[in-house]
Amino acid sequence: MDRNVRVGIIGAGSAAQAVHLPILMRLPDVEVVGIVDPARSKVTTIAERYGIPGVALSLTDLLADTRLDAVLVCSPTSTHESIVLEALGAGLHVLCERPLCPTVDAADRLIETAASANRQLMVAMNHRYSFDLRSIQQFVRSGELGKPFFVHTAWHNRRQKRPRRGWRRDASSPGAGVMMDVGVPALDAALWILGYPQVERVSARFHPAPSEAEVEASAFGLLQLEGGLTISFDVTWELQDESDHHALQLLAAEGTASSLPFRISRRMETGLTDVTPPLERSRSAIYTDSYRQEWADFLRYVRGDKPVESPDEQRALMRITAACYTSAREGREVEL
């Protein structure tokens, strides 16, 4: 592709405003040519702030812009399926905020449609581009830590930041609740580091927020995987602390690794050795860098520098998530 990549933004919520747009505006070879949101005053204000020339109140109007090469989907999870299908049908590449969709069937439809259209459908799992998790993944894939046998993944958001209204708190809205909000990326981080092995059994428990029962505000679970691997997870909107807590810890036959604090230890002939790569960036910088690297990778697909890849792992992830909901609802272990 010998010109700038032209991107449309679907949804003018916090993800678009706080993360994606500040990064996109600094990329010299990307043009944000349009943004759509049903809230007229909000989308107009954001377009003016970032100098976005096209403002639309409907997806049809945005997609009528034939200059588009790709779209970023930042709308509520319940709308992802219809939006992604329409964007793929318009011949566009799609970067979709997590989770891809709320059901296994929807994931199948989206992945199959993207393959038929030969367009990249990428889910915005930015943690995969974080320096600490990527380093741990490389040590695991290389075999330097020996065979992993346990991973614990945690995603704790402070109570004062929890969504108090809107679609994330609405039990009638597919995609609501903490499991969909932060449980999905927490599980993806652990499974991705391990290479997405087969999950055999799932056991989970959900808890509502104090004096509220619309959706789960905390979720805890245990996954039994092939080969004796175990993953435990705990996610919540109810952390009462000064800062959020996102962490992963891995135990393996010849070493251990953790993201918080970032440390990788390996047993060698001379004994246990700290093999942690130097971390010269602040946590906030690492977070921003992960989104920047995510965009760099997506743009390689859009330009044709990388062949289109199918996000097949999202099928497995949504099956596991659905099993967690079944286990929590029925109070039993679920076999996959």
Side-chain angles (χ1 to χ4, degrees), residues 63-130:
L63 298 185
D65 189 336
T66 57
R67 299 172 299 165
L68 285 173
D69 300 304
V71 293
L72 165 68
V73 180
C74 292
S75 59
T77 301
S78 61
T79 68
H80 284 184
E81 182 181 7
S82 61
I83 288 172
V84 171
L85 286 174
E86 192 166 348
L88 291 171
L92 303 178
H93 299 275
V94 179
L95 176 60
C96 183
E97 264 298 342
R98 62 190 186 233
L100 174 60
C101 50
T103 68
V104 178
D105 289 344
D108 287 339
R109 284 190 289 271
L110 294 180
I111 291 168
E112 289 164 8
T113 301
S116 297
N118 194 32
R119 289 296 180 266
Q120 184 60 46
L121 172 58
M122 181 171 165
V123 183
M125 297 291 188
N126 68 291
H127 49 267
R128 296 188 178 195
Y129 297 90
S130 177

Side-chain angles (χ1 to χ4, degrees), residues 69-288:
D69 300 304
V71 293
L72 165 68
V73 180
C74 292
S75 59
T77 301
S78 61
T79 68
H80 284 184
E81 182 181 7
S82 61
I83 288 172
V84 171
L85 286 174
E86 192 166 348
L88 291 171
L92 303 178
H93 299 275
V94 179
L95 176 60
C96 183
E97 264 298 342
R98 62 190 186 233
L100 174 60
C101 50
T103 68
V104 178
D105 289 344
D108 287 339
R109 284 190 289 271
L110 294 180
I111 291 168
E112 289 164 8
T113 301
S116 297
N118 194 32
R119 289 296 180 266
Q120 184 60 46
L121 172 58
M122 181 171 165
V123 183
M125 297 291 188
N126 68 291
H127 49 267
R128 296 188 178 195
Y129 297 90
S130 177
F131 180 80
D132 49 1
L133 292 187
R134 179 155 283 202
S135 297
I136 294 172
Q137 188 237 30
Q138 290 170 350
F139 271 89
V140 171
R141 296 290 177 89
S142 70
E144 293 178 70
L145 300 182
K147 183 180 179 181
F149 57 87
F150 177 75
V151 177
H152 173 246
T153 180
W155 199 303
H156 302 165
N157 285 355
R158 287 166 289 167
R159 177 180 287 186
Q160 58 265 40
K161 288 177 55 182
R162 74 182 181 192
R164 300 184 182 278
R165 61 184 65 85
W167 64 269
R168 286 184 177 86
R169 302 289 312 197
D170 183 359
S172 67
S173 174
V178 76
M179 187 67 206
M180 280 290 182
D181 186 30
V182 296
V184 166
L187 285 178
D188 179 76
L191 291 161
W192 171 73
I193 281 173
L194 295 172
Y196 260 83
Q198 176 66 40
V199 176
E200 298 175 342
R201 300 186 305 280
V202 169
S203 180
R205 295 294 180 269
F206 293 171
H207 296 276
S211 10
E212 301 175 29
E214 302 101 317
V215 293
E216 79 281 358
S218 300
F220 316 95
L222 196 68
L223 280 58
Q224 300 294 340
L225 289 72
E226 64 181 357
L229 276 163
T230 300
I231 293 175
S232 70
F233 71 90
D234 45 269
V235 297
T236 186
W237 289 331
E238 294 297 316
L239 179 66
Q240 299 189 53
D241 204 343
E242 295 180 353
S243 60
D244 295 342
H245 177 84
H246 301 163
L248 180 141
Q249 184 174 36
L250 176 140
L251 305 181
E254 301 298 329
T256 62
S258 67
S259 65
L260 190 67
F262 179 44
R263 183 177 176 85
I264 302 175
S265 300
R266 177 186 174 195
R267 184 164 299 284
M268 305 177 75
E269 292 183 1
T270 55
L272 192 63
T273 303
D274 184 350
V275 292
T276 311
L279 185 60
E280 299 175 350
R281 303 274 283 169
S282 67
R283 278 282 158 188
S284 60
I286 290 174
Y287 176 76
T288 303

